Amino acid sequence: MKLLVDGVFFQLAGSGIARVWQSVLPALAAIEGLDVLVLDRGGMPVLEGVTRIPFPTYKDLYTADDSELIQRICDFYTVDVFTSTYYTTPLSTPMFLVVYDMIPELFEFDLAHRHWQEKAVAIAYARRHIAISQSTRKDLLACYPTLDHVSVAHPGFDRAVFHPVGEERVAAFRQRIGFDQRPYLVTVGSREQHLNYKNGALLFDTVATFGIDAFDILCIGGEPTIAPQKLAALPPAVKATQISLTDDDLAAALSGATGLIYPSLYEGFGLPVLEAMACGCPVVTTARGSLPEVTGDACVIIDGVSRPEMAAALAKLTSAAVRDGLRRAGLEQAALFDWSALVSAVADAARETAKLGQEADYQAFAETWQSLRRLQAAVDVNTWVPTT
């Protein structure tokens, strides 16, 4: 059986979704009888066992034409089933879809934007859906109550990378980045977004409001700079730095940190939290979205909207006994996760969806879908006006 995967997310970003597929695709390719082909639009890493197919860069314009090109690849390689890393579709080849979160739908994004319309298109076209958490499944069905066959499979983490690393390696990392003197807290990912659902400002605002100077702050990934007004408001003794890291250095950063501060107001899964626990890093986070599925009782829970509450959580991290307890609990909780569940779910969905593609009902659906999508492509061409 041939599975074609659109690796479009590798072009778009290197964040959690890319990390998921970077682990899942080689594991799928190792399954006997499953040939995995991936459309490389740019940014795709080298993946063992995967057939790479160069493909045009994705753009929001002419997405129906993009579907036409995808279908040509499906036909040329006699593909049995298709999936996308981020909401692209073919014209007739049967498709299943992994759904990560419903952030745009729940946080008042402009759903008229073509990018999010294509998400709705992909959800409608797919015959099987895999949610990466029970929370995401619940939200998906709240938005699309008529969907059938929505399964759940949690992601895992790279055990070869994310584990507690030795003191010498941590010390070398700290010295290299200039954080070798004081305890530090880690934040991971974007700190600024629509409606601030990642809530990254809460740590900075709490430290500034209460004059907390026990920790420095290491921001990993996200925006390339920390907002100047946030830096200016910190106590004089507090150093805050943004940095981009390899996975190996991220493991060292987490292993040496006093804690990961992750006050997110919504998560489809929460991979940074899992990776932190796997490195023995104490975690402060919320019980919102999928996060309780990931953390269990192995973290300090806050509501995410109170500076005094965050200050109290940071005070807990000054206790060596509390940190040791969180490390032990986090390591035990992280050990419950690996990639096997998601890999198996994707493989099962591929087989089931390929079988559906042979049924008469699906053939009738696909014929109608092709006509509508090609009509959309014609409308795109006739109505698009170039901007200057």
Side-chain angles (χ1 to χ4, degrees):
M1 182 177 66
K2 292 182 180 178
L3 166 64
L4 178 63
V5 181
D6 189 345
V8 59
F9 198 85
F10 293 122
Q11 172 203 319
L12 300 175
S15 55
I17 294 172
R19 298 167 75 80
V20 167
W21 285 102
Q22 189 168 346
S23 296
V24 167
L25 287 170
L28 286 173
I31 297 174
E32 186 175 355
L34 182 59
D35 294 332
V36 180
L37 301 83
V38 180
L39 301 180
D40 180 5
R41 298 176 183 259
M44 179 178 162
V46 176
L47 301 173
E48 185 176 355
V50 169
T51 300
R52 172 185 166 275
I53 303 172
F55 201 71
T57 299
Y58 178 81
K59 299 178 181 178
D60 283 340
L61 296 172
Y62 302 145
T63 49
D65 275 343
D66 189 76
S67 292
E68 180 79 58
L69 291 175
I70 291 172
Q71 189 59 52
R72 291 180 187 178
I73 296 293
C74 290
D75 294 342
F76 181 82
Y77 287 93
T78 61
V79 167
D80 298 291
V81 62
F82 174 86
T83 194
S84 177
T85 57
Y86 208 65
Y87 311 132
T88 54
T89 56
L91 289 180
S92 60
T93 298
M95 173 181 175
F96 68 92
L97 186 68
V98 178
V99 181
Y100 316 108
D101 59 62
M102 302 303 289
I103 291 170
E105 295 83 355
L106 298 179
F107 282 80
E108 300 178 1
F109 282 48
D110 180 6
L111 299 182
H113 192 286
R114 188 62 171 270
H115 188 77
W116 302 123
Q117 289 181 348
E118 288 302 300
K119 179 182 180 181
V121 166
I123 290 171
Y125 180 73
R127 302 298 89 190
R128 292 288 186 271
H129 303 80
I130 303 168
I132 62 170
S133 65
Q134 293 290 349
S135 173
T136 293
R137 182 182 189 275
K138 175 179 68 69
D139 293 337
L140 174 62
L141 289 173
C143 295
Y144 297 91
T146 61
L147 291 181
D148 294 322
H149 305 101
V150 181
S151 60
V152 174
H154 289 140
F157 64 96
D158 188 342
R159 292 170 182 262
V161 174
F162 293 101
H163 55 80
V165 306
E167 292 182 5
E168 289 186 5
R169 185 171 150 196
V170 170
F173 168 77
R174 290 181 61 127
Q175 185 175 27
R176 190 166 75 249
I177 67 169
F179 267 52
D180 55 338
Q181 297 298 319
R182 286 163 31 89
Y184 66 91
L185 305 171
V186 165
T187 71
V188 175
S190 175
R191 297 173 301 280
E192 301 172 14
Q193 59 288 126
H194 179 65
L195 294 185
N196 296 314
Y197 63 88
K198 289 290 187 182
N199 203 22
L202 181 61
L203 172 61
F204 282 86
D205 293 344
T206 300
V207 169
T209 298
F210 293 93
I212 299 170
D213 60 4
F215 315 99
D216 290 331
I217 302 173
L218 181 62
C219 299
I220 301 173
E223 293 73 26
T225 59
I226 301 171
Q229 65 272 23
K230 298 297 183 184
L231 290 174
L234 295 176
V238 175
K239 178 180 181 179
T241 299
Q242 187 280 339
I243 191 170
S244 296
L245 298 176
T246 64
D247 284 355
D248 285 338
D249 280 344
L250 175 58
L254 292 169
S255 296
T258 298
L260 170 73
I261 311 302
Y262 203 78
S264 176
L265 301 178
Y266 181 92
E267 287 295 320
F269 180 70
L271 190 58
V273 170
L274 178 58
E275 292 172 344
M277 292 191 301
C279 290
C281 178
V283 173
V284 176
T285 190
T286 71
R288 296 173 181 261
S290 64
L291 286 166
E293 298 176 50
V294 181
T295 64
D297 298 323
C299 63
V300 177
I301 292 292
I302 60 174
D303 190 56
V305 295
S306 166
R307 295 180 191 180
E309 185 186 40
M310 173 63 87
L314 298 182
K316 290 181 180 179
L317 294 183
T318 62
S319 165
V322 169
R323 294 197 304 274
D324 287 345
L326 290 170
R327 287 191 184 101
R328 289 193 298 271
L331 289 168
E332 291 177 5
Q333 180 69 12
L336 302 176
F337 294 84
D338 60 33
W339 289 111
S340 62
L342 185 54
V343 171
S344 295
V346 170
D348 290 345
R351 297 186 191 99
E352 293 170 3
T353 306
K355 289 180 182 178
L356 284 175
Q358 303 303 314
E359 297 178 359
D361 286 351
Y362 181 81
Q363 297 298 324
F365 160 78
E367 184 176 342
T368 302
W369 185 275
Q370 286 185 76
S371 298
L372 292 172
R373 198 67 163 150
R374 283 172 171 151
L375 176 61
Q376 180 187 351
V379 171
D380 284 347
V381 171
N382 290 330
T383 61
W384 179 68
V385 177
T387 57
T388 56

